[in-house]
Amino acid sequence: MVLRAPMPGLSSPEALADALRAAYYLADDGIATAAFLALALGKPLLLEGAPGVGKTEAAKALSGILGRQLIRLQCFEGIDASAALYEWNYPRQMLAIRQAREGEHADIYRDDFLIERPMLAVLRRPQSTVLLIDEIDRSDHEFEAFLLEFLSDFSISIPERGTLRASERPVVVLTSNRTRDLHEALRRRCIYHYIAYPDPAREAAIIMLRSSAVAEATARAVVHAVGLLRQEPLTKPPGVAESVDWAEAATALSRTGAPWPDAFRRSIGAALKDEEDLAHMRPRLDALIGAIAR
Amino acid sequence: MTRALPAASRPFVAFPALLRQHGFAVAPEQTVAFLEAVRLLGPRSIEHVRRAAVATLAPHPHQMARFDALFDLHFLGGFAEPDEADDWQPDEETKIQEEGGEREILVGESVNETGQQAIEAEALAVRRLRPADDGGLLVRLARDLPDALPRRRGYRFRAARRGQRIDLAQSLRAAIRTDGEVMSLKRRRRGTRTRPVLMLIDVSGSMKGRTDANLALAHTLVQAAPRAEVFTFGTRLTRLTRVLKLRNREQALAQASGLVADWDGGTRIGDALQAFLAVPRYAGYARGAVVVILSDGLERGDPAAMIAAMRRLAARAFRIDWLSPLAADPDYRPETDAMAAIRPLVTTLANGASTAAICRHLTALGDGRAA
């Protein structure tokens, strides 16, 4: 196994957690360790967890502290190699063939006919980019198998051009919402971390870090309420992003003169974004707001 | 191997071996990564070793508690063999509050729940499943099912003689052969995909006579259909898909019998369905799916909960087929409050009294002949 040279200033999980904190991402020990190991061992980092716990944010923060460009590949059902890797610019190739004079050879497989997609971009510039493969669970099994090949040796073959291999292992972060089980072979190739909802103190800290306008008492109240909401059988339980939104929304409303309980109630749409969930919570909302309002 | 391992590294190599003995899939490369991780982290404390192990050996979230127990056993000299009953599932457990006291529907995936405290309304039981001789019905089901299921348009494009889109790559390739002259435009179109099947099997006391056969049928379904999910419900909800993926039917059913804790107990369909819908990961299985419910619909819980849950399920599903043993009688009319109320939400309410009847229904799903 080829180890990366230790990154300057990121010699331990704690140092990495400090750097992430400076990039406005509060990492607990588990994620700091996993991210540190992924960087040090040159393996992809696979982050799983419920929607809104900060998986994508983690990748953004990592790219921030490494000073590298984040290249995002959003997965969807039916995604294939031409969306992820590269595609030839066919109309231009066709024009080039038509324009070539008799007896002249048109090289239609030059770089300027190649349209670069995220994975190829990362292979070409592994030292300056972070590849985020977002929501891998949305793609189908064919794409997952294709990804396995890419992640094992960070090379891709373009039939007309030959095999392109990364000069060093790029930083890759994969995220999954667990809407389906990923293939074991994919998990094996990655450093794995399951991001759970943060504990209340950490979540309050995240809210205040993300939004300086929110008072500590508001952040605590929102975290308490969101904790109660997550115990309800909801279709879309609020994630950390929703907690931040709710705290900001309630703060904004209170500035316009709305009293606190009312501000929380009126801004509930920042936390619950599903009509069924709102209908389920409506009769319980007074009790919930009563429990948290100052 | 030419060199013996240093003594200090032996416990770290032995741990993945221990995991393998307990059913964890750990690849040799993960063992190497674990050793490297331990070296990188110091390790300064046993917690660093634990974090290194979790990150590199990547236990499935639902195996986390077992993983921790094995870790404690191995590195901290714990006493007991890890109990397989304590699997922790961060996003897959849910509690349902009911009026008039708290009752729980526990959601389990590959969970042996024997360690959980039984509640008053439940009769927890261990059951040995004996698949009845089906006279080759299931063999025929396995053969016919993949082609018989309804399909929907997929998102992947495939080459086709006629299609909405021009396949530029293929057209160009053809044009190169004719010196850039486009003689024929190749086309492509979106293919179709088989819809997923979600089967919910009632294992309560009133369905006792059908349970063994229904489970055997569910095993065939998981084996034959491209995408299928199977859950059982009675007083709890249990996901069986994982164990039913075992090819050998006897082994699969033996494991399933250990997994389900509420055989032949009461029925709280509404609670079970709400528990199902409350886990976003599970609720996703119903999206665009053919939902097949094998139940007599005799609800002991609150009909309102069942109606609300069925409404949410119907909003997601492609169709819901309720196959009830009671419907074998041509004079059967759904007369209980709950069944009468959900009748408009159900695409078909049909005979589920025999394996043959259910097989007939399943294999007729795709062509509009479903009863």
Side-chain angles (χ1 to χ4, degrees):
Chain A
M1 180 177 297
V2 183
L3 285 178
R4 284 165 168 276
M7 312 235 170
L10 303 177
S11 55
S12 68
E14 290 76 17
L16 182 66
D18 289 344
L20 285 169
R21 184 192 305 270
Y24 300 101
Y25 188 89
L26 281 188
D28 62 17
D29 294 339
I31 184 167
T33 307
F36 170 76
L37 290 175
L39 292 178
L41 298 174
K43 282 178 170 265
L45 175 64
L46 170 60
L47 299 174
E48 278 197 323
V53 289
K55 303 183 291 291
T56 306
E57 286 303 315
K60 287 182 184 165
L62 269 180
S63 85
I65 61 170
L66 296 173
R68 297 174 173 212
Q69 182 197 355
L70 183 76
I71 295 185
R72 178 174 180 169
L73 175 66
Q74 173 64 51
C75 295
F76 51 87
E77 196 189 328
I79 186 172
D80 58 9
S82 66
L85 267 183
Y86 72 92
E87 194 158 30
W88 291 107
N89 190 337
Y90 304 113
R92 284 195 60 195
Q93 284 182 321
M94 190 67 86
L95 266 178
I97 297 173
R98 304 294 293 264
Q99 283 173 348
R101 302 212 175 131
E102 187 119 355
E104 208 175 62
H105 172 68
D107 180 9
I108 54 168
Y109 298 117
R110 292 197 314 262
D111 261 7
D112 46 339
F113 291 109
L114 197 61
I115 302 170
E116 192 178 76
R117 303 279 190 229
M119 283 160 73
L120 178 60
V122 169
L123 281 199
R124 285 177 159 183
R125 301 183 286 282
Q127 297 92 344
S128 59
T129 51
V130 172
L131 174 63
L132 166 62
I133 301 174
D134 219 3
E135 304 192 344
I136 172 71
D137 52 329
R138 283 182 182 229
S139 70
D140 43 29
H141 292 287
E142 286 107 320
F143 186 71
E144 204 179 321
F146 161 76
L147 205 56
L148 273 180
E149 205 184 321
F150 173 79
L151 294 177
S152 19
D153 53 1
F154 292 106
S155 71
I156 54 178
S157 61
I158 302 177
E160 299 85 0
R161 295 278 298 270
T163 302
L164 187 69
R165 197 176 300 276
S167 52
E168 74 171 75
R169 288 182 165 251
V171 176
V172 180
V173 180
L174 297 102
T175 74
S176 157
N177 288 335
R178 294 203 72 211
T179 57
R180 68 173 173 86
D181 283 334
L182 299 181
H183 202 285
E184 284 299 328
L186 181 67
R187 300 160 59 83
R188 276 210 306 271
R189 280 172 176 74
C190 301
I191 295 289
Y192 175 80
H193 184 67
Y194 182 89
I195 305 188
Y197 289 120
D199 59 54
R202 184 176 296 275
E203 190 161 2
I206 291 171
I207 292 176
M208 286 186 290
L209 192 67
R210 280 296 166 103
S211 177
S212 52
V214 174
E216 188 177 351
T218 310
R220 283 183 192 284
V222 164
V223 167
H224 183 193
V226 163
L228 296 173
L229 283 176
R230 285 180 193 146
Q231 286 169 22
E232 296 285 335
L234 300 178
T235 312
K236 291 190 173 58
V240 179
E242 278 75 23
S243 305
V244 176
D245 286 351
W246 197 11
E248 282 182 342
T251 304
L253 279 182
S254 75
R255 292 236 174 89
T256 65
W260 273 112
D262 197 34
F264 279 123
R265 187 182 292 105
R266 280 168 54 192
S267 52
I268 186 80
L272 295 180
K273 298 168 183 173
D274 183 277
E275 169 49 28
E276 278 175 10
D277 292 347
L278 282 170
H280 172 79
M281 286 309 298
R282 220 163 266 137
R284 298 165 177 80
L285 213 51
D286 282 334
L288 182 83
I289 302 287
I292 61 160
R294 289 176 294 175
Chain B
M1 178 157 308
T2 52
R3 271 186 306 159
L5 279 170
S9 67
R10 272 179 212 145
F12 302 107
V13 179
F15 181 55
L18 178 72
L19 288 177
R20 276 188 213 113
Q21 281 170 21
H22 286 80
F24 287 78
V26 181
E29 70 203 64
Q30 286 177 292
T31 307
V32 176
F34 176 45
L35 284 172
E36 288 292 350
V38 170
R39 190 182 67 75
L40 273 166
L41 291 175
R44 284 154 288 172
S45 75
I46 197 70
E47 278 314 300
H48 285 95
V49 179
R50 189 190 300 269
R51 280 184 223 139
V54 171
T56 53
L57 305 175
H60 212 275
H62 78 265
Q63 293 177 311
M64 208 49 222
R66 261 184 90 199
F67 183 89
D68 273 339
L70 284 167
F71 185 91
D72 292 345
L73 178 77
H74 187 72
F75 287 104
L76 302 173
F79 293 111
E81 267 291 300
D83 182 7
E84 300 194 5
D86 53 3
D87 293 18
W88 175 69
Q89 305 160 72
D91 65 342
E92 293 180 10
E93 65 181 31
T94 182
K95 291 178 180 177
I96 303 294
Q97 295 259 343
E98 278 194 29
E99 284 167 43
E102 186 178 299
R103 283 197 282 182
E104 282 183 11
I105 291 279
L106 295 153
V107 180
E109 180 183 352
S110 305
V111 183
N112 186 341
E113 289 174 317
T114 47
Q116 307 275 11
Q117 197 177 10
I119 58 168
E120 204 180 7
E122 286 186 317
L124 299 188
V126 177
R127 182 178 170 134
R128 201 177 167 75
L129 290 165
R130 275 190 301 270
D133 180 26
D134 55 43
L137 277 173
L138 295 183
V139 175
R140 264 171 282 154
L141 178 69
R143 186 193 61 201
D144 297 341
L145 191 69
D147 295 329
L149 290 171
R151 301 178 74 84
R152 66 160 173 81
R153 238 156 52 107
Y155 292 92
R156 239 168 220 276
F157 282 88
R158 293 186 168 83
R161 287 171 68 88
R162 292 175 184 195
Q164 314 95 311
R165 288 209 185 177
I166 294 168
D167 189 336
L168 283 173
Q170 291 302 328
S171 301
L172 181 82
R173 226 157 274 164
I176 289 171
R177 285 197 287 275
T178 50
D179 281 339
E181 209 56 57
V182 184
M183 305 295 277
S184 68
L185 275 180
K186 306 284 180 195
R187 292 180 176 272
R188 53 190 202 146
R189 66 188 309 161
R190 279 161 74 171
T192 59
R193 293 195 80 186
T194 309
R195 285 189 179 272
V197 184
L198 168 66
M199 186 174 264
L200 302 167
I201 304 174
D202 187 343
V203 293
S204 63
S206 58
M207 288 290 289
K208 197 172 178 179
R210 282 292 313 152
T211 302
D212 291 10
N214 283 349
L215 264 290
L217 199 143
H219 176 255
T220 306
L221 174 78
V222 170
Q223 294 294 321
R227 282 181 299 162
E229 284 290 331
V230 175
F231 290 78
T232 60
F233 65 91
T235 50
R236 298 165 172 230
L237 181 75
T238 312
R239 181 174 182 244
L240 285 191
T241 317
R242 191 181 289 273
V243 293
L244 294 182
K245 280 193 176 149
L246 281 173
R247 195 165 280 279
N248 183 304
R249 192 198 301 175
E250 256 99 68
Q251 280 179 3
L253 294 186
Q255 292 216 10
S257 71
L259 211 58
V260 179
D262 55 343
W263 300 116
D264 310 338
T267 326
R268 292 205 305 274
I269 303 173
D271 296 351
L273 289 182
Q274 289 203 336
F276 173 82
L277 291 163
V279 180
R281 172 167 150 78
Y282 291 174
Y285 293 145
R287 206 168 285 283
V290 174
V291 179
V292 179
I293 301 176
L294 304 180
S295 169
D296 52 14
L298 298 177
E299 169 70 320
R300 307 279 155 80
D302 178 10
M306 177 168 157
I307 296 162
M310 280 298 286
R311 196 164 288 141
R312 288 176 62 188
L313 193 62
R316 284 174 175 74
F318 168 65
R319 58 182 291 154
I320 300 180
D321 295 286
W322 195 297
L323 306 184
S324 164
L326 305 178
D329 179 354
D331 294 331
Y332 168 72
R333 296 285 173 272
E335 275 166 4
T336 59
D337 286 353
M339 282 308 280
I342 64 155
R343 184 62 191 86
L345 302 170
V346 172
T347 317
T348 47
L349 176 62
N351 179 7
S354 67
T355 301
I358 299 170
C359 287
R360 257 201 312 280
H361 184 88
L362 290 176
T363 49
L365 276 172
D367 52 18
R369 282 187 290 117

